[in-house]
Amino acid sequence: MAVSANKIHLSGLARKLVMDGLLEEAAAAEHHQKALSKKIGFVPYLVENKLVPASDIAICAAQEFGAPVVDINCMEIDMDTVKLIKEDLIRKHNAIPIFKRGKRLYIAVSDPTNLLALDEIKFATGTNTEAILVEQDKLTKVIEKCLEDMEGGLGDIDDDEFDDLDDLEVAEEGKQDEDVGSDEVVDAPVVKFVNKCLLDAIKKGASDLHFEPYEKYYRVRFRIDGVLTEVARPPISLSGKIAARIKVMSRLDVSEKRVPQDGRIKLKLSKSKSIDFRVNTCPTLFGEKACMRILNSDAAALQIDMLGYEDFQKEKFLENLHKPYGMFLVTGPTGSGKTVSLYSGINILNQVDVNISTAEDPVEINLAGVNQVQVDERTGMTFEKALKAFLRQDPDIILVGEIRDLGTASIAVKAAQTGHMVMSTLHTNDGPQTLTRLQDMGIAAFAVATSINLITAQRLLRRLHSEYREPLEMPDEALLDEGFTEEEIKEGIKLFEPITGNKDCPSGYKGRAGIYQVMNISDAMKRLIIEGANAVQLADQALKEGIWDIRKSGLAKARQGATSLTEVNRVTIE
């Protein structure tokens, strides 16, 4: 019900909020005074203290002042325009210029009555200013993001601030021809910027870095907990220099810009600490994109208890891992943690009385006591050739980085049938599809049925931060639709969702956990394979045998409070 604003004198947006019933008169006056005393805007004060939703404030402002609300997240921010005014002015007025047309500068604001902001920006830039109404919570994030990008730009780098970056060394850095790209790679600010990106990625726990050139801008993104996040927008003019620097560090050919190249960086942080990066460059329409994968050697030493297997899944994993022969397969998409699972298994098996050989492309992590071979198609060292050589090297355990073709699959199956333990990965969605995929590649059904011991399909989902989560209430019908059973609902299901927007943990998630389908090949499953059953029939049999699929494993993690139902749906719903 609308409230009259006659008792207390209010004007502008505060009066509209009272009239629409979003604030009481006395509360509006009190909050307005508190905002003034703290020297922050009325709208930021309301949103930061969760007194009125930002979307409701924007709607009221639009109705009161006849200005349309624009979704700032859908707008492309011109960083050159942002840099027209200083950071202190942006923070003072909670307003930011987002684009310019001729002599008119368009300013994103959440309170259109903030005329002082428009006047000061007009005076500082010598332009005519015009307000664009946006939601306060979105405006705050955009301001912080733009100011971070301004700090990441190379024009304002403070040499003293990044002196320690000069101490970084690239181990065994290849010597480049002095005439090739020498003018591109000696730029000290570029060197410092790239080093800073590498260090920031390590500190933030990123798994991948993307350096991406586009027509009008250049951006750097990190993949953190499986999600890509933009971290910087250096000037587009530095695109070639950044690519050249990365190629020098990776011992790639700086002069070759027409074909993809693969390299590796070993970055020495100190005498005892170094980090490896796997690097790939690829020519795009507007320059070379570079993608780096951080190879975390600590992940290879993870104990199986830390991988997130349920107890009964871990028991199956270990039981089949210690079998003297057969195939042990790990499946899933790129970035699902297959390598970590395999290395964790290899670490368990790596004893002095066992001969282990691996063929990998690339060798991501060095393991003492394991004979590792780097596959290189250019030199003719393929997975198939490496496997043939291994069989003459008196092996006990063979690890094949990936089964990609019939030749590799055929030799792997034969090795598994002749007394060797073979471990490998495939890019399939789950266990049943792995069985049919091998047959599609040309492996006989009988060979598939008799050679495979276990298939582990997996995904990674984000963990909820224990301090930034809140309970989520859902009706029983909705829980049933999500896949929970009636028995689980009767026992009680307590779900959580992330609390977003906190500076320490903006997403509400920290770290990742694995969810798995651990499927051993039973006698009944073998009969179905030999009879030519399809993936659906094999999945039905797995369900009868009590084997969890990845979805059920994800729902279990949600019940345990380790993740949210939203995250489970993001990862498991196709």
Side-chain angles (χ1 to χ4, degrees):
M1 182 175 179
V3 179
S4 174
N6 296 326
K7 295 181 181 179
I8 299 174
H9 178 69
L10 296 172
S11 61
L13 185 57
R15 180 181 61 193
K16 176 64 176 173
L17 293 172
V18 171
M19 293 179 65
D20 284 5
L22 295 172
L23 281 175
E24 296 291 337
E25 290 177 283
E30 179 185 353
H31 296 322
H32 197 276
Q33 285 301 120
K34 287 183 177 179
L36 288 174
S37 65
K38 293 185 177 182
K39 297 182 179 180
I40 63 174
F42 180 52
V43 174
Y45 179 85
L46 294 178
V47 175
E48 286 176 12
N49 291 280
K50 299 183 178 179
L51 299 170
V52 184
S55 56
D56 290 346
I57 295 175
I59 291 171
C60 284
Q63 293 172 348
E64 179 72 9
F65 302 103
V69 181
V70 177
D71 187 351
I72 195 170
N73 290 342
C74 297
M75 303 182 69
E76 184 174 322
I77 310 299
D78 184 354
M79 287 302 299
D80 290 335
T81 301
V82 174
K83 293 175 183 177
L84 291 176
I85 63 176
K86 294 183 177 180
E87 177 181 341
D88 57 353
L89 199 58
I90 293 174
R91 293 194 183 277
K92 175 183 176 182
H93 294 298
N94 190 51
I96 189 168
I98 52 178
F99 65 91
K100 184 181 178 184
R101 294 291 181 271
K103 286 288 186 180
R104 188 169 296 278
L105 190 62
Y106 292 85
I107 314 296
V109 296
S110 58
D111 184 356
T113 64
N114 190 0
L115 300 179
L116 179 60
L118 300 178
D119 288 342
E120 286 199 21
I121 293 174
K122 178 179 179 180
F123 178 78
T125 60
T127 61
N128 296 319
T129 54
E130 185 169 326
I132 293 179
L133 183 58
V134 300
E135 295 170 53
Q136 169 60 32
D137 52 352
K138 295 180 179 179
L139 175 61
T140 299
K141 292 179 181 179
V142 168
I143 287 176
E144 292 301 324
K145 177 68 180 63
C146 288
L147 293 180
E148 284 181 13
D149 288 351
M150 287 172 67
E151 292 174 2
L154 302 184
D156 300 322
I157 279 187
D158 182 353
D159 288 342
D160 295 333
E161 183 181 0
F162 299 120
D163 276 346
D164 59 322
L165 298 183
D166 292 328
D167 296 333
L168 290 176
E169 288 185 40
V170 180
E172 300 178 3
E173 183 173 310
K175 293 183 178 179
Q176 298 289 338
D177 188 339
E178 293 182 0
D179 295 332
V180 178
S182 59
D183 59 330
E184 295 181 313
V185 299
V186 296
D187 196 336
V190 172
V191 172
K192 290 185 177 182
F193 175 74
V194 174
N195 287 348
K196 182 177 185 298
C197 287
L198 300 185
L199 285 177
D200 283 350
I202 294 168
K203 291 175 182 176
K204 293 180 179 180
S207 60
D208 301 86
L209 299 81
H210 295 253
F211 296 82
E212 304 170 315
Y214 296 95
E215 183 177 10
K216 295 183 179 179
Y217 65 94
Y218 189 98
R219 72 179 177 186
V220 181
R221 293 190 293 171
F222 294 168
R223 187 178 294 279
I224 302 172
D225 293 335
V227 178
L228 278 172
T229 304
E230 186 174 318
V231 296
R233 284 202 182 190
I236 184 63
S237 59
L238 297 176
S239 171
K241 293 183 178 181
I242 292 173
R245 172 59 186 165
I246 291 171
K247 289 166 79 171
V248 167
M249 296 174 74
S250 311
R251 292 187 288 169
L252 301 178
D253 184 353
V254 178
S255 63
E256 179 56 79
K257 302 178 181 180
R258 299 165 297 176
V259 298
Q261 297 187 63
D262 291 297
R264 191 180 180 106
I265 298 173
K266 189 175 187 67
L267 196 64
K268 290 185 177 179
L269 302 179
S270 66
K271 291 182 178 179
S272 60
K273 180 68 174 176
S274 63
I275 298 288
D276 289 338
F277 294 80
R278 186 182 72 196
V279 183
N280 175 267
T281 63
C282 183
T284 67
L285 194 59
F286 300 106
E288 286 185 284
K289 173 184 175 178
C291 183
M292 298 184 182
R293 165 69 56 88
I294 299 178
L295 307 178
N296 184 5
S297 57
D298 294 335
L302 286 178
Q303 301 297 319
I304 188 171
D305 292 332
M306 300 173 65
L307 297 182
Y309 286 95
E310 303 296 328
D311 289 341
F312 71 93
Q313 293 177 330
K314 182 179 72 173
E315 186 178 336
K316 280 185 182 178
F317 183 100
L318 293 174
E319 176 188 343
N320 286 274
L321 185 68
H322 287 96
K323 287 187 175 180
Y325 58 86
M327 292 187 73
F328 187 105
L329 299 177
V330 181
T331 75
T334 301
S336 60
K338 298 188 298 295
T339 300
V340 172
S341 292
L342 279 179
Y343 274 94
S344 297
I346 286 291
N347 271 327
I348 294 172
L349 297 171
N350 187 14
Q351 303 295 329
V352 69
D353 59 344
V354 176
N355 179 24
I356 303 175
S357 296
T358 76
E360 304 167 73
D361 182 18
V363 175
E364 296 191 1
I365 300 165
N366 297 328
L367 291 176
V370 176
N371 306 294
Q372 296 174 280
V373 173
Q374 171 71 56
V375 170
D376 190 343
E377 300 285 346
R378 293 171 298 182
T379 62
M381 176 54 79
T382 62
F383 282 115
E384 186 176 352
K385 283 189 176 180
L387 270 174
K388 287 180 179 179
F390 290 166
L391 292 176
R392 296 189 290 272
Q393 290 278 320
D394 185 30
D396 294 302
I397 298 166
I398 297 171
L399 185 148
V400 184
E402 182 184 348
I403 293 178
R404 297 176 178 174
D405 50 46
L406 176 58
T408 305
S410 179
I411 297 174
V413 167
K414 288 176 182 176
Q417 290 176 323
T418 55
H420 305 94
M421 166 61 76
V422 179
M423 305 175 70
S424 189
T425 69
L426 273 86
H427 287 276
T428 55
N429 291 324
D430 58 22
Q433 290 186 37
T434 302
L435 296 170
T436 55
R437 168 65 178 149
L438 287 169
Q439 294 177 64
D440 291 342
M441 291 173 69
I443 304 298
F446 176 80
V448 172
T450 57
S451 62
I452 298 176
N453 293 335
L454 185 88
I455 300 171
T456 295
Q458 64 184 73
R459 302 289 189 279
L460 292 176
L461 44 70
R462 292 179 291 173
R463 285 184 179 272
L464 282 170
H465 193 295
S466 58
E467 296 181 10
Y468 304 110
R469 64 177 189 174
E470 58 187 1
L472 171 66
E473 298 295 333
M474 291 183 66
D476 291 352
E477 295 79 6
L479 293 173
L480 284 171
D481 289 341
E482 291 290 348
F484 294 104
T485 65
E486 292 183 357
E487 291 76 11
E488 290 171 336
I489 295 172
K490 287 179 182 178
E491 292 174 5
I493 294 176
K494 190 173 183 181
L495 301 176
F496 294 87
E497 60 183 352
I499 299 174
T500 59
N502 188 280
K503 290 183 179 179
D504 295 331
C505 184
S507 68
Y509 296 98
K510 185 175 183 181
R512 288 192 287 176
I515 52 175
Y516 305 90
Q517 178 188 44
V518 182
M519 189 177 87
N520 59 308
I521 310 302
S522 64
D523 291 339
M525 194 83 71
K526 290 177 180 178
R527 282 194 293 270
L528 284 175
I529 296 170
I530 293 172
E531 291 169 2
N534 58 36
V536 175
Q537 294 169 317
L538 293 171
D540 290 340
Q541 178 61 32
L543 186 62
K544 290 178 184 177
E545 296 178 10
I547 296 170
W548 284 11
D549 59 16
I550 292 176
R551 172 73 179 176
K552 188 169 181 62
S553 182
L555 293 176
K557 284 288 189 292
R559 285 188 66 194
Q560 296 161 12
T563 191
S564 67
L565 188 57
T566 301
E567 180 68 4
V568 173
N569 289 336
R570 182 184 74 85
V571 173
T572 63
I573 291 182
E574 298 176 359

